Amino acid sequence: MKRSLIIAPQWIGDAVMTEPLLRRLKARGEQLTVGALPWVAPVYRAMPQVAEVIEFPFAHGGLQWRERWRLARQIKSRFDAAYVCPNSLKSALLPWLAGIPRRVGYQGEARFGLLTQCLNNPPKGQRLPMVAFYSALSGDADVAADRPHLQFATPEVEAALTALNLTRLGYHVFAPGAEYGEAKRWPARHFAALAEQLDLPVVLLGSGKEAALCASIADPVNAQRPRHCLNLAGKTTLMQALGVIAACKSMVSNDSGLMHVAAGFGVVQVAIFGSSSPLHTPPLNDLAKVLWLKTDAAYQPPLDCAPCFERVCPLGHTRCLNDVLPSRVKALL
């Protein structure tokens, strides 16, 4: 059996979108080990085709030669092939330092010589949707219809629910954050208004950096409806957050990593897009509904500025998100 190392992306959403690639490699008999940063590694534990996950001891920034050399010596002779998902120079260093014979990736940041097989990397405006972009590393041609699927064993989900005192299908999940910036975040006041209209309780998920944002949603709602919102931002492990999403009644989010998690688990979801585009990174889920005013013919005046892909609205109005009303989201749940 061919032993393969997959160098994972550094973002949760991108990690989810690599799942079809791993499924293709496993189907043709490759034994898969994924190397991932600690905040992404749990996603790969929701992919049954992965035999092993190696958590990289790397941090953001810098080549960190000493750490890469040390890990390369540990994995030397363990793998026959490596698939490098990110386009950065440093992501291709480990397979090269470890002497893995076949090293596949896209042309990227000064990586000539580090890879043995380079795929053309077209300009961003001409790239495949991200799932297909990753799946193409397999060498297969029929990747356009690929969709990620995540799977947790029932005991893992139940353990998360028990630890957080939740009941399967007994709550909605809101993920109001978006790492890239406020031009991707539906307003907190809209999340709060939606929560007030829902019969079931709402669980708010996010990182510790998003705890204040989640509190600005939960606090006014709980003042009117005590204990209706549970703010778990920064209070769960990623494994627990994945379990909470897998067992929820529905999820509402921005274009974010947790949006892709919900899609992978196949839960009912509404994804709200603002400055970014669902044409490139949609939630690939038959139960997903996408709200993007750019494509709403009834919305006037048209959003000629979208998608701008900016962190902050350059025109100062953020109409693309402010004008998505809570009642419209509720109608899709």
Side-chain angles (χ1 to χ4, degrees), residues 231-250:
N231 181 3
L232 293 181
K235 299 177 182 177
T236 69
T237 66
L238 181 54
M239 288 289 284
Q240 288 175 324
L242 298 182
V244 169
I245 292 172
C248 72
K249 180 72 173 179
S250 73

Side-chain angles (χ1 to χ4, degrees), residues 81-250:
Y83 299 88
V84 183
C85 295
N87 285 334
S88 64
L89 168 66
K90 62 184 178 183
S91 63
L93 283 173
L94 182 65
W96 176 69
L97 291 170
I100 298 175
R102 182 168 178 256
R103 306 183 296 277
V104 183
Y106 282 97
Q107 291 177 356
E109 184 183 68
R111 306 204 297 184
F112 297 104
L114 298 182
L115 300 174
T116 62
Q117 182 179 342
C118 283
L119 281 67
N120 290 329
N121 199 350
K124 287 186 177 181
Q126 301 175 26
R127 284 185 189 175
L128 295 168
M130 286 304 297
V131 171
F133 181 77
Y134 288 129
S135 290
L137 290 171
S138 67
D140 297 339
D142 57 336
V143 298
D146 279 7
R147 290 186 166 203
H149 299 290
L150 301 179
Q151 181 181 335
F152 261 161
T154 299
E156 293 175 312
V157 176
E158 294 302 325
L161 297 181
T162 299
L164 299 168
N165 197 27
L166 297 172
T167 303
R168 184 183 288 270
L169 301 180
Y171 56 91
H172 302 282
V173 167
F174 287 1
E179 184 73 23
Y180 188 70
E182 65 181 54
K184 290 180 71 173
R185 298 184 194 129
W186 198 42
R189 67 182 184 278
H190 286 353
F191 274 108
L194 176 61
E196 290 179 353
Q197 299 174 36
L198 298 177
D199 294 332
L200 291 176
V202 171
V203 175
L204 293 154
L205 292 179
S207 68
K209 294 185 295 184
E210 293 158 347
L213 169 64
C214 290
S216 72
I217 297 166
D219 291 351
V221 176
N222 288 336
Q224 299 297 320
R225 300 180 63 183
R227 297 183 297 278
H228 188 65
C229 284
L230 177 61
N231 181 3
L232 293 181
K235 299 177 182 177
T236 69
T237 66
L238 181 54
M239 288 289 284
Q240 288 175 324
L242 298 182
V244 169
I245 292 172
C248 72
K249 180 72 173 179
S250 73

Side-chain angles (χ1 to χ4, degrees), residues 181-187 189-190 272-276 293 299 303 305-306 308 310-324:
E182 65 181 54
K184 290 180 71 173
R185 298 184 194 129
W186 198 42
R189 67 182 184 278
H190 286 353
I272 304 164
F273 280 73
S275 63
S276 57
L293 293 180
Y299 179 72
L303 276 175
C305 54
C308 68
E310 298 290 342
R311 293 179 182 272
V312 178
C313 176
L315 301 178
H317 54 62
T318 322
R319 287 171 46 215
C320 56
L321 293 171
N322 287 326
D323 290 353
V324 178

